[in-house]
C-alpha cells in the first residue's frame, strides 16, 4: 500500500506543480499559454533534478559497502519519481507544439484549419521525430529501470542507484540557461555553469580496480549501463556544442566591437 501511495503522490505532484506554475505565470506575468508551459516544464524538470541529485548524495554518502548497504530513500524516491517520466513526455509534447506554432509552420497551420485531430497527429509525429531519443529514454526509465531498481536487483547496490540519481546534476544548469534565454537575459555569465555538467565517480571495492568492474559485475548491470551511456554521451555532446557556440558568439561579438572602436 505504501508503494501505491508514493506512486500516486508522484502522479499528482509533478503534473499538479506544472499546472500551478503555468497558471501562476500567466496571471502574474501575462504570458501566453505556450510561454508559460515551456517555462513551467523547465522549472519542474529542474526541481526533479535537484531532488534526485540530493537523494543521490544522501544515498552515496551513507553507503560504505557499495553492494550490501541499504538506504530507505532509494526505493522511496524511485517510486515517487517514476511518474515524472510519464508526465514529462506529455509536457515536452506541449512545449514542442508551442514551438511549432511560434515558428509558423505552414503544414501545422493548414492542418489546424482543417481539423484539430489532423493538427494534433502531425504535431505528435513531428515531436517523435525531433525528440525520439528523449522519449526513448523516458520510456526506458519506466519500462526497464523501474522494475530493475525495485525487483531484479534484490536489494543490492543502493550505492549505484544513488550514483544514477547523481546523473541529474546537469539538468538544473541546462534548464537555467534556457530559462535565461526565454527571459531574454542570455547575456548574463553562464559558461562556468556548463563546465559542471558531468562528473566522474570512481571507486575501489574488494581491491577491484575500476577497469575490472565490467568483468565482475552482473550482466544485468552491464546491459543497463550499455543502454544508458550512449544517451548520456549524446546529451553531453549537445551540451559541449552549445557551449562552443556560445563562446564563439561572444568572441565574434568582442572582435566586432574592437574593430568598430578602432574604426571610430
Amino acid at each position: 500500500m505504501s508503494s501505491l501511495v508514493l506512486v500516486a503522490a508522484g502522479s499528482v505532484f509533478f503534473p499538479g506543480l506544472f499546472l500551478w506554475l503555468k497558471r501562476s505565470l500567466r496571471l502574474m506575468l501575462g504570458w501566453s499559454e505556450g510561454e508559460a508551459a515551456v517555462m513551467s516544464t523547465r522549472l519542474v524538470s529542474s526541481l526533479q533534478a535537484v531532488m534526485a541529485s540530493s537523494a543521490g548524495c544522501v544515498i552515496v554518502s551513507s553507503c560504505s559497502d557499495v553492494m550490501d548497504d541499504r538506504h530507505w530513500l532509494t526505493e522511496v524516491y524511485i517510486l515517487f519519481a517514476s511518474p515524472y517520466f510519464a508526465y514529462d513526455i506529455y509536457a515536452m509534447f506541449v512545449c514542442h507544439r508551442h514551438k511549432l506554432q511560434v515558428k509558423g509552420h505552414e503544414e501545422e497551420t493548414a492542418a489546424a484549419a482543417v481539423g484539430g485531430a489532423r493538427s494534433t497527429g502531425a504535431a505528435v509525429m513531428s515531436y517523435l521525430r525531433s525528440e525520439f531519443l528523449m522519449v526513448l529514454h523516458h520510456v526506458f526509465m519506466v519500462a526497464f529501470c523501474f522494475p530493475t531498481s525495485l525487483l531484479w536487483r534484490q536489494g543490492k547496490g543502493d550505492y549505484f542507484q544513488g550514483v544514477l540519481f547523481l546523473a541529474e546534476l546537469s539538468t538544473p544548469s541546462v534548464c537555467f540557461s534556457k530559462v535565461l534565454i526565454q527571459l531574454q537575459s542570455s547575456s548574463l555569465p553562464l559558461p562556468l555553469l556548463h563546465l559542471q555538467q558531468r562528473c566522474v565517480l570512481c571507486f575501489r571495492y574488494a581491491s577491484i580496480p575500476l577497469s575490472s568492474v565490467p568483468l565482475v559485475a552482473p550482466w544485468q548491470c552491464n546491459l543497463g549501463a550499455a543502454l544508458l551511456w550512449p544517451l548520456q554521451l549524446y546529451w553531453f555532446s549537445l551540451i559541449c556544442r552549445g557551449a562552443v557556440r556560445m563562446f564563439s558568439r561572444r568572441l565574434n561579438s568582442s572582435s566586432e566591437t574592437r574593430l568598430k572602436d578602432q574604426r571610430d
Side-chain angles (χ1 to χ4, degrees), residues 133-151:
L133 281 177
M134 185 66 77
V135 173
L136 179 63
H137 169 266
H138 283 23
V139 172
F140 174 78
M141 293 295 293
V142 175
F144 181 81
C145 292
F146 178 76
T148 299
S149 299
L150 291 179
L151 302 175

Side-chain angles (χ1 to χ4, degrees), residues 74-75 78-79 82 145-155:
T74 306
E75 292 189 0
I78 290 171
L79 291 164
S82 292
C145 292
F146 178 76
T148 299
S149 299
L150 291 179
L151 302 175
W152 299 344
R153 66 188 182 95
Q154 298 178 345

Side-chain angles (χ1 to χ4, degrees), residues 233-243 245:
L233 292 174
Y234 170 73
W235 290 321
F236 180 63
S237 68
L238 293 181
I239 291 170
C240 291
R241 288 210 300 262
R245 284 197 299 267

Side-chain angles (χ1 to χ4, degrees), residues 60-82:
V60 168
S61 61
S62 301
C63 295
S64 56
D65 189 302
V66 299
M67 290 301 298
D68 294 324
D69 280 0
R70 304 294 309 277
H71 195 284
W72 63 269
L73 188 57
T74 306
E75 292 189 0
V76 166
Y77 193 75
I78 290 171
L79 291 164
F80 177 75
S82 292

Side-chain angles (χ1 to χ4, degrees), residues 49 52-63 65-67 71 74 77-78 141 149 153 156-170 197-203 210 225 228-229 232:
S53 55
S54 298
C57 287
V58 172
I59 294 166
V60 168
S61 61
S62 301
C63 295
D65 189 302
V66 299
M67 290 301 298
H71 195 284
T74 306
Y77 193 75
I78 290 171
M141 293 295 293
S149 299
R153 66 188 182 95
K156 298 288 186 179
D158 279 17
Y159 173 88
F160 297 103
Q161 191 64 52
V163 171
L164 288 177
F165 289 159
L166 288 175
E168 295 289 340
L169 276 171
S170 64
Q197 302 298 329
R198 292 290 182 265
C199 61
V200 178
L201 299 175
C202 58
F203 61 91
L210 182 62
L228 284 173
W229 265 103
Q232 297 296 329

Side-chain angles (χ1 to χ4, degrees), residues 38-54:
V38 171
M39 179 65 75
S40 300
T41 300
R42 290 167 179 167
L43 292 175
V44 174
S45 296
S46 296
L47 177 62
Q48 193 280 140
V50 170
M51 294 168 63
S53 55
S54 298

Side-chain angles (χ1 to χ4, degrees), residues 93 96 100 108 119-131:
F93 168 70
H96 180 78
L100 290 179
E108 295 299 322
S119 176
T120 301
V124 168
M125 294 306 298
S126 174
Y127 167 62
L128 292 177
R129 285 194 299 268
S130 63
E131 300 291 345

